[in-house]
Amino acid sequence: MAMYVFKDAARKHKLLARDAQKQDKSSRFYCPNKKCNAHMSVRSLDGVSKAYFAANQSQSHVKGCPYKSRRFQPNLYDGNGFVFDDALLSLTMPSKSQSKSDIPGEHGTGEVAPKPIRTIRQIYSMCKSYDCSDSYNGKIIGQMLLDERSAYMYSKGVFGWRLIELKYRYYSSDRKEIVLVCPQNGKEYTFIMRFGNEKLFKEIRKIVYENRNHLIIVAGEWNSSGKYNAFCTEIKSKKQLTIVK
């Protein structure tokens, strides 16, 4: 599912779900993922739920496409209660006992009120569902997630709370650091995960190395590392990282 698509195969003409019209119901649209040839169509245009785009069964998404159905579903969450910096800060805190389900649902005979998105995977899925120039509860998507779409917004560097789509480069056991990279406008930014806890470093090092060929999503408060085009954040919890396969 996606909150935007393209009208043409060249991905030049964008259409946001909230701007879709009745005449668009019979049209075929193109997945935001340039590597995916899924046939997208508008859904729930006349329903009580917010309109969105999903792939037709005849031509579904390629394996690993971030716009597959059943990803972020805005109607299940309280968008007005979402505060990005607070959500990322909470990911650095020790885990609390909670239900295994991340998605609000029914409990007993009464319905549970929707809650704001909170996990790194939920936040990442939300950001990927929207265009980087769009917004969620007043916050620009590209100011929450740095990926290939929003890279142009970061010509002066990456500072503050951000979710970043990264690839593994190497680790240093001596410095308790894991180094990753992200392309940015033809340049390459380096991102360093630093650890004060050796046990946590070893746990995450194992996860990252075993998934070194996949995308690694890291949430943190980023600052200059003191090196050119290199930024760092302190990792305090496994909740700050997820793998996209």
Side-chain angles (χ1 to χ4, degrees), residues 33-46:
N33 179 6
K34 295 180 180 179
K35 298 179 181 178
C36 179
N37 196 38
H39 290 200
M40 306 283 284
S41 60
V42 64
R43 307 287 177 87
S44 197
L45 191 58
D46 300 317

Side-chain angles (χ1 to χ4, degrees), residues 84 127 130-136 139-147 149-154 158 161-163:
F84 179 70
C127 288
Y130 289 90
D131 178 61
C132 68
S133 62
D134 206 344
S135 63
Y136 184 75
K139 182 79 170 181
I140 300 297
I141 299 299
Q143 294 176 353
M144 293 188 272
L145 171 67
L146 168 55
D147 61 6
R149 306 171 305 163
S150 63
Y152 73 92
M153 299 180 181
Y154 293 88
V158 185
W161 292 103
R162 294 291 188 277
L163 209 63

Side-chain angles (χ1 to χ4, degrees), residues 150-193:
S150 63
Y152 73 92
M153 299 180 181
Y154 293 88
S155 60
K156 296 183 179 180
V158 185
F159 304 96
W161 292 103
R162 294 291 188 277
L163 209 63
I164 307 183
E165 198 174 83
L166 297 162
K167 292 186 177 181
Y168 171 80
R169 174 168 278 181
Y170 67 88
Y171 67 82
S172 169
S173 295
D174 292 336
R175 295 192 298 271
K176 293 196 290 290
E177 293 180 350
I178 300 174
V179 180
L180 308 105
V181 294
C182 175
Q184 196 277 339
N185 284 345
K187 298 184 295 185
E188 191 176 79
Y189 280 175
T190 298
F191 294 90
I192 304 168
M193 294 193 292

Side-chain angles (χ1 to χ4, degrees), residues 61-179:
H61 293 278
V62 295
K63 183 178 180 180
C65 180
Y67 300 96
K68 279 189 175 181
S69 297
R70 308 299 299 176
R71 290 279 179 164
F72 177 68
Q73 300 179 63
N75 297 292
L76 295 181
Y77 300 97
D78 174 20
N80 293 327
F82 176 70
V83 180
F84 179 70
D85 287 10
D86 292 348
L88 262 61
L89 175 62
S90 70
L91 295 178
T92 69
M93 304 298 180
S95 299
K96 297 180 181 179
S97 58
Q98 57 190 19
S99 168
K100 292 183 179 179
S101 175
D102 285 334
I103 299 177
E106 295 185 355
H107 179 72
T109 57
E111 292 187 358
V112 176
K115 297 180 180 179
I117 53 176
R118 56 182 178 80
T119 69
I120 185 171
R121 188 164 286 274
Q122 288 171 354
I123 298 169
Y124 177 70
S125 293
M126 179 275 291
C127 288
K128 295 300 283 189
S129 296
Y130 289 90
D131 178 61
C132 68
S133 62
D134 206 344
S135 63
Y136 184 75
N137 197 28
K139 182 79 170 181
I140 300 297
I141 299 299
Q143 294 176 353
M144 293 188 272
L145 171 67
L146 168 55
D147 61 6
E148 63 178 0
R149 306 171 305 163
S150 63
Y152 73 92
M153 299 180 181
Y154 293 88
S155 60
K156 296 183 179 180
V158 185
F159 304 96
W161 292 103
R162 294 291 188 277
L163 209 63
I164 307 183
E165 198 174 83
L166 297 162
K167 292 186 177 181
Y168 171 80
R169 174 168 278 181
Y170 67 88
Y171 67 82
S172 169
S173 295
D174 292 336
R175 295 192 298 271
K176 293 196 290 290
E177 293 180 350
I178 300 174
V179 180

Side-chain angles (χ1 to χ4, degrees), residues 4-36:
Y4 75 107
V5 289
F6 287 90
K7 297 180 179 180
D8 59 315
R11 272 76 170 180
K12 298 293 185 182
H13 304 286
K14 193 182 303 175
L15 176 64
L16 305 182
R18 64 170 179 264
D19 295 331
Q21 304 294 321
K22 288 185 177 180
Q23 59 266 30
D24 296 318
K25 292 176 68 174
S26 60
S27 300
R28 177 261 167 110
F29 298 104
Y30 294 83
C31 179
N33 179 6
K34 295 180 180 179
K35 298 179 181 178
C36 179

